[in-house]
Amino acid sequence: KRYYLTPKVILVRSQNLQSNGKIDILKLSKALDTGMLKFTGTCDIKSAWAKLFSTDDIVGIKVNTMA
């Protein structure tokens, strides 16, 4: 099932996503995966992304390290 009707926002909070002013990509990736799995209710990350987006979609992700 695809979600087209309403925009969705996924908010994931995680401690220590940055070190020395740089984002820790591994921690960010894990936090994003956790949010996607919970949001979609799927068991694997590839299915989670496929449930929401096609390979033709352009997806923007905003990371706020100030919150």
Side-chain angles (χ1 to χ4, degrees):
K1 183 178 180 180
R2 303 282 309 251
Y3 300 91
Y4 287 110
L5 301 178
T6 1
K8 303 286 184 187
V9 175
I10 301 169
L11 176 63
V12 177
R13 296 181 191 270
S14 182
Q15 295 289 327
N16 305 317
L17 282 180
Q18 65 176 339
S19 176
N20 296 324
K22 295 189 179 191
I23 294 174
D24 184 326
I25 298 300
L26 293 176
K27 288 180 182 178
L28 176 61
S29 179
K30 184 176 179 180
L32 181 60
D33 288 352
T34 298
M36 289 294 288
L37 293 172
K38 287 183 179 181
F39 182 74
T40 60
T42 57
C43 296
D44 68 277
I45 196 61
K46 188 173 181 177
S47 295
W49 284 96
K51 189 170 183 176
L52 299 174
F53 306 106
S54 77
T55 55
D56 295 328
D57 290 338
I58 297 173
V59 178
I61 299 173
K62 180 185 182 316
V63 176
N64 180 357
T65 60
M66 301 300 284

